[in-house]
Amino acid sequence: MTTQGPQKTIQQAILNNLFIKIQKTSTAINQVTEWSLFVLGFAMAIIIATQVFFRYALNHSLFWSEELGRMLLVWISFLGATVAYKRKAHIGIDFIVQKLPGNLATKIRILTYVFSLCFFSIMIIYGTKFTLFIKFQKSPALGISKSIPFAVIPLSGIFFLIHGITLLMETILSESKK
Amino acid sequence: MTTFVLFFCLIFFFAIDVPIAIAIGISSVIALMMKSDLSMMISVQRMYAGTDSFPLMAVPLFMFAGALMEAGGISRRIVNLADSLVGWMTGGLASVAIVSAMFFAGISGSAAADTAAVGSILIPAMVDKGYDRDFAGAVQAAGGSIGVIIPPSIPMIIFGFLTGASIGRLFAAGILPGILMGLSLVVAVVIISKKRGYGYTRKFALRTVLTSLYHALWALGAPIIILGGILGGIFTATESAAVAVIYALGVGLFVHRELHVRDLPRIFIDAAVMSSIIMFIIAAASIFSWFLAIEEIPKLITGFLLSVTTNRIILLLLINAILLVAGTFVETTASLILLVPVILPILPNLGIDLVQLGTIIVVNLAIGMLTPPLGICLLVSCSIAQNKLSDISRSIVPFLAILLIDLLIITFWSPLTSLIPNLVLPTH
């Protein structure tokens, strides 16, 4: 026991250090994401309102507004979902887990994080593959590479993964302190 | 076999509190993994395609508009107007809570947002005036559920997106059922208030009605733009939402001057996150519904249902029962995406049109927002009233009973849903 003691505290210190670094990254990413949500959301509203204005006031339909708006929607949806994940705002069915004894509930919570991390990894791996796959396809109205709007899936996957690891470590560390 | 794995995983993940979107996504991916590697590529592509939609753009835009109106002091003006209209009745404040929620429903497309916006003013006011906390919370939750019936409505947008039904006609179809639900809830409030001995807030005075109407004019302009624009064929639901955002910005910043530029980022970010929760479910569920479609599951379930009965009344009651149970345990968007593909093929046997079916489905899910343990309106009310969920759940029972009667009327009396759409948006 005496030999294990100091070793365990060193491990603990390394883990704590790593945790603080990941936590900082996660917070920084989240701040940037939140600001981009504001910019993208505001832009989407203005673009669609402009589309109406052009059609009625100037009698001239914009050809690019709908496509750009849809791209913004996809970006807002996936980036916003990472912020919701960071805020633990995604809706789940928690009334069964709540009824379980604390120890088992924590174990299940850790399990849910692990499953979620698997899903995020799929978003990253296959999202990246698909982004590269459609590199040369051009969007019909704007003529930009289809990879640009699609890249939000692997990108948000990375953000999800970092937030998820932070939440997982938070749970594990708070458990081991007890 | 793969289908069995899919549903087993789904129920397992739901039960252990994996967020709904991720639960749906990962179960579909597991089922697909058993098929081929190519389908994994397609599954990420489905997530993208599921959210890449013009009609769905209305979801965040209506969230923005609602949040901006709320921050711009519109809720308070609407509450004052409702107070001048129905504050004189027995249980006046509780009726005000319902009527305010009806007005706010004309601006907001979300029941939770409606409950929160009106409830944050009226639940504390009711408690101050001696109403019991559980009753105050229950009334507000019931009123808030109308938020998705009176247009605009986010679940109706999603229904239109899933089925190709005209969102304009769906919105128009929701007006009368929403008014029916509101008025019947007011009747229930008056009866309960007589029993519990709650008083009224003021005497009726036409003068007060007119002044509060004048103050609420800009607030009422929003539903007029949204509805008038869509029903008049001037713009699509998505465009009306964008115009509503600009209108709300203008009114909040320059007319009421209660909205501040420094608050805008927070308002937009929070609303974007709220809508992303819905959109992420749609994205993940797109993998799910793609899998169901290639396995022809909806056809199987439909075949099974029709082999049990082809009687339209029994089928309609059955659909209502399934939806009520689903609405109780599963979040609204997820219920829509999981159930609409299954219900849709039965439509020819039901003797109703697509728009009425959409209204029935959304009313069911709205009632599901009032049932414990997962009723979102109930949870919002609960946290504002600082009351136990079990107490509010008891007080919600009479309101649930009234809404179920409304549901039957909406299901079996089609003029209620078809009158306005046929009047203003006739199909050719």
Side-chain angles (χ1 to χ4, degrees):
Chain A
M1 281 311 251
T2 43
T3 47
Q4 260 180 5
Q7 205 175 2
K8 205 176 177 189
T9 38
I10 291 167
Q11 271 178 2
Q12 195 82 30
I14 293 171
L15 203 64
N16 265 327
N17 202 358
L18 188 69
F19 171 63
I20 288 164
K21 274 193 185 134
I22 293 180
Q23 201 175 31
K24 272 189 182 153
T25 320
S26 158
T27 312
I29 287 175
N30 192 56
Q31 251 163 10
V32 177
T33 319
E34 286 196 356
W35 274 97
S36 34
L37 281 180
F38 169 55
V39 175
L40 298 174
F42 199 80
M44 184 169 74
I46 300 285
I47 287 166
I48 301 303
T50 314
Q51 171 178 321
V52 179
F53 179 75
F54 267 74
R55 195 170 62 227
Y56 284 102
L58 306 178
N59 212 0
H60 169 83
S61 288
L62 296 177
F63 68 94
W64 48 268
S65 55
E66 181 177 332
E67 189 176 288
L68 185 58
R70 290 205 326 256
M71 285 179 185
L72 289 174
L73 174 68
V74 179
W75 273 76
I76 292 167
S77 302
F78 282 90
L79 290 179
T82 70
V83 177
Y85 190 63
K86 175 84 182 162
R87 295 183 181 181
K88 296 186 183 172
H90 282 291
I91 303 157
I93 300 172
D94 61 353
F95 67 92
I96 299 173
V97 178
Q98 269 179 359
K99 289 217 166 67
L100 298 172
N103 196 12
L104 185 62
T106 315
K107 281 194 181 122
I108 288 181
R109 207 148 294 287
I110 290 171
L111 194 67
T112 62
Y113 285 128
V114 174
F115 282 125
S116 305
L117 292 180
C118 294
F119 186 64
F120 304 148
S121 310
I122 289 167
M123 283 174 70
I124 299 171
I125 297 165
Y126 290 92
T128 310
K129 276 193 186 174
F130 200 81
T131 307
L132 297 174
F133 179 65
I134 55 170
K135 194 166 51 178
F136 299 112
Q137 290 183 32
K138 296 264 181 280
S139 75
L142 295 167
I144 58 169
S145 164
K146 278 192 179 168
S147 296
I148 296 174
F150 198 88
V152 74
I153 292 187
L155 185 70
S156 61
I158 294 169
F159 294 178
F160 268 126
L161 195 72
I162 293 169
H163 297 329
I165 293 171
T166 314
L167 291 172
L168 176 63
M169 289 181 87
E170 254 172 37
T171 317
I172 294 172
L173 285 176
S174 71
E175 182 66 8
S176 65
K177 266 179 199 140
K178 272 181 201 163
Chain B
M1 178 59 199
T2 42
T3 312
F4 174 75
V5 172
L6 175 69
F7 283 98
F8 176 79
C9 288
L10 193 65
I11 291 166
F12 173 70
F13 289 136
F14 275 175
I16 64 167
D17 191 21
V18 175
I20 283 183
I22 298 172
I24 296 175
I26 192 134
S27 346
S28 320
V29 165
I30 290 173
L32 281 168
M33 234 186 258
M34 298 168 70
K35 289 187 104 62
S36 69
D37 195 53
L38 174 73
S39 47
M40 298 295 287
M41 285 267 266
I42 298 175
S43 69
V44 286
Q45 191 271 334
R46 293 303 309 170
M47 285 183 82
Y48 181 89
T51 46
D52 178 23
S53 140
F54 189 74
L56 285 183
M57 229 184 283
V59 175
L61 290 176
F62 276 128
M63 292 270 189
F64 293 153
L68 287 168
M69 304 264 180
E70 148 98 273
I74 280 178
S75 322
R76 193 167 42 76
R77 289 176 172 81
I78 283 177
V79 168
N80 285 339
L81 174 63
D83 188 29
S84 74
L85 285 172
V86 293
W88 53 272
M89 301 196 305
T90 311
L93 263 184
S95 298
V96 172
I98 307 268
V99 174
S100 306
M102 287 168 71
F103 280 127
F104 203 79
I107 295 169
S108 144
S110 143
D114 197 353
T115 312
V118 180
S120 57
I121 301 174
L122 276 171
I123 292 176
M126 281 190 263
V127 172
D128 264 3
K129 289 267 152 95
Y131 290 69
D132 298 307
R133 277 178 191 278
D134 56 296
F135 176 77
V139 165
Q140 195 58 69
S145 72
I146 301 173
V148 292
I149 313 297
I150 292 181
S153 156
I154 286 169
M156 284 186 185
I157 294 168
I158 296 170
F159 181 83
F161 162 73
L162 290 171
T163 61
S166 147
I167 293 173
R169 285 179 68 85
L170 281 167
F171 278 8
I175 298 174
L176 290 181
I179 294 174
L180 170 74
M181 287 164 73
L183 294 183
S184 59
L185 286 174
V186 168
V187 172
V189 158
V190 172
I191 294 170
I192 297 172
S193 299
K194 276 228 167 82
K195 267 193 196 154
R196 294 206 185 194
Y198 302 136
Y200 53 87
T201 49
R202 59 165 78 237
K203 287 232 160 60
F204 183 79
L206 191 62
R207 214 187 139 75
T208 345
V209 176
L210 292 177
T211 12
S212 54
L213 187 65
Y214 173 75
H215 287 297
L217 269 186
W218 284 98
L220 297 175
I224 291 169
I225 290 179
I226 295 170
L227 273 185
I230 301 173
L231 300 186
I234 301 170
F235 34 62
T236 61
T238 302
E239 288 171 343
S240 80
V243 173
V245 172
I246 307 295
Y247 178 84
L249 274 172
V251 172
L253 289 172
F254 306 116
V255 183
H256 292 157
R257 291 163 191 258
E258 286 178 36
L259 193 64
H260 305 287
V261 175
R262 62 167 189 278
D263 298 329
L264 289 183
R266 185 93 339 255
I267 295 167
F268 269 86
I269 292 165
D270 288 348
V273 172
M274 291 282 287
S275 88
S276 298
I277 294 171
I278 295 173
M279 293 297 293
F280 195 52
I281 295 175
I282 295 176
S286 305
I287 319 176
F288 184 87
S289 42
W290 175 67
F291 181 85
L292 288 193
I294 53 172
E295 296 282 299
E296 301 196 321
I297 306 299
K299 231 183 188 171
L300 266 168
I301 298 178
T302 314
F304 170 72
L305 272 180
L306 290 179
S307 72
V308 176
T309 176
T310 49
N311 180 306
R312 67 176 280 266
I313 293 177
I314 297 177
L315 278 175
L316 279 170
L317 289 173
L318 201 63
I319 289 175
N320 279 325
I322 295 171
L323 283 162
L324 282 173
V325 173
T328 300
F329 291 103
V330 185
E331 191 271 347
T332 312
T333 312
S335 303
L336 277 170
I337 297 182
L338 303 182
L339 292 177
V340 167
V342 179
I343 296 172
L344 202 58
I346 316 178
L347 183 64
N349 300 72
L350 297 178
I352 56 174
D353 69 352
L354 186 57
V355 168
Q356 191 183 353
L357 178 69
T359 315
I360 294 171
I361 290 179
V362 174
V363 172
N364 267 298
L365 297 178
I367 295 174
M369 295 176 191
L370 297 176
T371 45
L374 286 173
I376 181 80
C377 291
L378 218 51
L379 296 176
V380 170
S381 252
C382 213
S383 74
I384 301 174
Q386 291 164 340
N387 201 277
K388 269 202 257 153
L389 184 60
S390 53
D391 289 342
I392 290 190
S393 304
R394 252 195 304 282
S395 306
I396 198 85
V397 174
F399 298 113
L400 274 180
I402 292 280
L403 290 175
L404 285 175
I405 295 171
D406 291 339
L407 173 64
L408 289 177
I409 298 174
I410 295 163
T411 306
F412 291 106
W413 196 50
S414 56
L416 204 58
T417 42
S418 62
L419 186 72
I420 295 189
N422 288 343
L423 213 63
V424 291
L425 292 168
T427 41
H428 303 293

